[in-house]
Amino acid sequence: MSKSLIDTIRDRRSIRKYKSDPVAEKDLDQIIEAARLAPSGTNRQPWRFVLLTDDSEKQKIAGAVIQPFVLEAPAVFVCCLDRKAYTKGLVEKRMKELVQMNVISEEAAGYIYKRKMPEKVDEVVIPAGAYVDLGIAVEHMVLAAESLGLGSCWVRLFNPKQVHEALGLPEQVEVVALLPVGYPAESPSPRPRLSREEILLWPQ
Ligand SMILES: Cc1cc2nc3c(=O)[nH]c(=O)nc-3n(C[C@H](O)[C@H](O)[C@H](O)COP(=O)(O)O)c2cc1C
């Protein structure tokens, strides 16, 4: 029987030691599917990923990675944002879909249409909401991995510009995080967390 979501959340740890066994393609597909299904502001779905599994591919980004465990994982997702998702044409397209499906009213959509939106991708300044959206998608991947018996670790301590260059990614894409994935070769104890009282400002 599969674990409940709350147990999956409770049992997850950041894993920094992996077995060398490759991750089955169907499991990698499920992890990508978990990202694909994530919610996002105006359903813009700004996330993009590069999946590195071959040693030669992983080595391309070795110079940008600070913690060696990242490239010891059998699979590494490079998690990115696509500026194009924030161009006027695409935002309006997504908004129209939501209006047509009666998800958002014409009036609410009007507020978005009124916003100044860049027509060209090179004019886009990635908004804070984009990082929220990508964070949700990546955490979906983390939890999907955990539910499949795989370990992962969010990684932001690396040089994103160097990864961008090493992989020859399009200009419009910004690299944000790495997510190494593999079978855990460690079972860390829970890391400290703030108490309920510390995080719940109201009611106390
Ligand atoms: C956005 C984000 C960035 C992180 N970056 C790194 C990192 O670069 N290197 C690393 O070893 N761990 C990184 N972590 C993992 C955290 O250290 C870890 O989540 C935290 O210590 C709590 O431990 P746990 O995930 O095992 O519960 C990151 C976590 C998040 C959410």
Side-chain angles (χ1 to χ4, degrees):
M1 203 181 76
S2 64
K3 265 199 249 178
S4 71
L5 178 58
I6 195 71
D7 285 340
T8 303
I9 290 171
R10 202 172 282 133
D11 292 347
R12 182 213 56 83
R13 304 278 179 273
S14 291
I15 296 298
R16 299 181 180 83
K17 276 192 191 131
Y18 305 95
K19 294 183 183 159
S20 55
D21 313 49
V23 180
E25 213 164 296
K26 67 171 181 21
D27 288 350
L28 292 170
D29 284 346
Q30 289 220 53
I31 293 172
I32 296 165
E33 184 65 357
R36 200 179 69 83
L37 297 177
S40 59
T42 318
N43 204 21
R44 276 178 290 226
Q45 308 162 65
W47 41 73
R48 303 289 181 267
F49 302 94
V50 177
L51 172 58
L52 306 174
T53 50
D54 288 351
D55 277 340
S56 60
E57 288 171 346
K58 286 191 267 167
Q59 278 316 307
K60 284 189 195 164
I61 65 164
V65 170
I66 293 157
Q67 295 170 286
F69 80 84
V70 175
L71 298 181
E72 285 158 19
V76 180
F77 286 96
V78 180
C79 308
C80 312
L81 284 169
D82 187 347
R83 287 189 177 78
K84 204 166 177 201
Y86 297 91
T87 50
K88 191 171 161 57
L90 275 186
V91 174
E92 289 185 353
K93 181 174 179 226
R94 296 272 94 93
M95 187 51 92
K96 276 190 196 125
E97 284 167 356
L98 296 181
V99 171
Q100 266 164 19
M101 295 178 85
N102 282 325
V103 176
I104 284 179
S105 67
E106 287 278 6
E107 193 196 358
Y111 284 98
I112 304 253
Y113 293 142
K114 262 191 263 166
R115 286 187 196 159
K116 204 170 166 284
M117 280 184 280
E119 311 248 352
K120 292 192 198 134
V121 72
D122 54 6
E123 292 163 2
V124 172
V125 177
I126 296 180
Y131 299 95
V132 175
D133 293 339
L134 180 62
I136 295 168
V138 176
E139 192 57 18
H140 269 203
M141 298 166 86
V142 166
L143 294 175
E146 172 71 28
S147 79
L148 294 164
L150 291 158
S152 68
C153 185
W154 270 90
V155 173
R156 290 264 292 147
L157 189 65
F158 70 105
N159 186 327
K161 287 212 173 82
Q162 226 176 308
V163 169
H164 186 277
E165 205 180 299
L167 297 177
L169 296 176
E171 196 62 44
Q172 74 201 45
V173 165
E174 179 174 302
V175 175
V176 177
L178 300 176
L179 189 72
V181 176
Y183 293 98
E186 62 169 352
S187 54
S189 48
R191 276 69 192 231
R193 287 296 193 268
L194 299 177
S195 67
R196 177 192 160 96
E197 291 69 31
E198 284 170 297
I199 67 163
L200 191 64
L201 299 177
W202 186 265
Q204 282 276 310

